Amino acid sequence: MSKLPDFEALAIFAKVVELRSFAAAATELALSKATVSKAVSRLEDRLGARLFNRTSRRLALTDAGQKLSERAARLLADGEAAENEALAQSVTPRGLVRLAVPMTFGVKSVAPLLPEFLEKYPEVSIDLHLSDATVDLIGEGFDAGLRIARLPDSSLIARRLCPMPRYTVAAPSYLKRYGRPTHPMHLAEHKCFGYAYLPTAGVWHYTNAAGEQASVRPAGQLRVNNGEALLPAVVAGLGIADLPDFIIGEAIARGEVEVILKGWKQPEAAVHLVTPPGGPRPARVEVLADFLAKHFVKGRRR
């Protein structure tokens, strides 16, 4: 056995484990499938153990492969981090940025900005992941994410871009039929729609100018994992919803819904850019952060 480990084969093995596919690993690494297969075979020969059980439809780790996979994944991550730190010193930003963004905000407010960014930085590519679920940036390999909330304490590095107020709203037809709540606790008597990814699941929190606080767990016929999906039912007068400005702002302006509980405020929220901790950010991530800040920091975008 040579003195140095087969770092290349270990890194390729880690990528196959991550993607659960030789073909997918080959595509992501810009290698041929044969090269990927040979690297894994080389590693198996070196270790004297089979790492995968392979069939035409399934790829599963053996016990030996399972034990090796965690160390190989750390090796790959360390190697990528070393390269990222080197790239961070590059004068010209280049490479792939994996960006996680809430679904509707991403479609309405981020995607329209990307053509300008891509034209300005032709050597930077964007992998835009749209989901309202809070992704694990580190565990899932994202370079950055946008989060719209009051951020909990965490190891992530956060940059506040702009405020994002929330409004409790109902259609005029609903208010005419069921009456207008004047206190948050009245919501318990109304039809309210739920959003799956609230920081405190199913609970709406309010504070008034006198400092009085109220928390209510409203109930209704509809619960969603994307806030925009509530709009048709709210506009149709079927219930009350609590939504951020980028989703409900235009409907308020058109008079399709009205803000209720105006004397009460929700906890302050904002759009934050979050990145994993440790070391300088790669230049490609830094220029994207500055670009988004430029467009969002001066005010809200719907």
Side-chain angles (χ1 to χ4, degrees):
M1 182 179 292
S2 63
K3 294 183 180 180
L4 286 175
D6 191 338
F7 292 111
E8 180 185 50
L10 286 166
I12 291 174
F13 166 71
K15 186 58 68 173
V16 174
V17 173
E18 176 187 338
L19 300 177
R20 295 292 176 177
S21 167
F22 278 65
T27 299
E28 181 156 327
L29 296 172
L31 300 172
S32 69
K33 187 176 178 181
T35 299
V36 171
S37 181
K38 288 178 181 178
V40 174
S41 295
R42 188 170 74 242
L43 191 58
E44 289 176 331
D45 291 341
R46 182 185 180 98
L47 300 176
R50 182 184 294 275
L51 300 176
F52 292 104
N53 288 319
R54 285 169 267 182
T55 68
S56 59
R57 296 185 177 181
R58 190 167 181 268
L59 185 67
L61 286 167
T62 64
D63 288 343
Q66 186 66 51
K67 291 176 181 177
L68 181 64
S69 63
E70 293 183 5
R71 289 183 177 272
R74 287 199 295 271
L75 177 68
L76 176 60
D78 288 344
E80 290 176 337
E83 285 193 351
N84 287 338
E85 289 185 9
L87 285 172
Q89 308 305 317
S90 174
V91 175
T92 303
R94 59 172 59 89
L96 177 67
V97 178
R98 299 193 68 223
L99 177 66
V101 182
M103 176 70 73
T104 299
F105 189 75
V107 172
K108 286 188 171 185
S109 299
V110 177
L113 301 177
L114 293 184
E116 179 184 345
F117 176 84
L118 295 174
E119 185 173 6
K120 185 174 183 180
Y121 299 101
E123 295 188 54
V124 178
S125 302
I126 302 292
D127 179 358
L128 183 63
H129 177 87
L130 299 172
S131 173
D132 283 3
T134 301
V135 301
D136 179 355
L137 293 187
I138 300 172
E140 298 183 39
F142 285 98
D143 297 291
L146 293 181
R147 294 188 177 168
I148 305 172
R150 296 180 67 191
L151 292 183
D153 292 337
S154 76
S155 62
L156 298 176
I157 299 171
R159 178 176 180 178
R160 189 178 188 275
L161 301 184
C162 68
M164 185 55 66
R166 300 183 64 88
Y167 301 108
T168 306
V169 298
S173 60
Y174 177 92
L175 298 175
K176 182 177 180 180
R177 184 176 181 183
Y178 297 103
R180 181 184 296 269
T182 57
H183 191 283
M185 302 311 295
H186 295 165
L187 294 174
E189 304 166 5
H190 283 264
K191 303 174 185 292
C192 298
F193 299 142
Y195 175 61
Y197 295 123
L198 288 176
T200 50
V203 180
W204 299 359
H205 300 280
Y206 298 89
T207 305
N208 64 14
E212 180 185 357
Q213 297 182 348
S215 297
V216 61
R217 188 183 297 273
Q221 294 175 279
L222 181 62
R223 185 173 184 266
V224 302
N225 65 357
N226 174 262
E228 192 174 21
L230 293 177
L231 278 178
V234 176
V235 172
L238 300 181
I240 295 172
D242 180 69
L243 293 166
D245 180 72
F246 70 90
I247 290 178
I248 201 64
E250 292 178 357
I252 294 172
R254 291 192 297 263
E256 295 173 338
V257 298
E258 298 178 18
V259 178
I260 61 175
L261 301 175
K262 290 186 177 180
W264 295 81
K265 291 184 178 181
Q266 296 275 37
E268 181 181 355
V271 180
H272 293 85
L273 177 83
V274 292
T275 54
R281 289 191 297 206
R284 63 185 185 275
V285 176
E286 195 66 39
V287 294
L288 179 60
D290 291 342
F291 178 85
L292 293 176
K294 175 184 175 182
H295 284 80
F296 292 127
V297 75
K298 293 183 180 179
R300 300 189 304 273
R301 293 185 64 94
R302 291 174 181 165

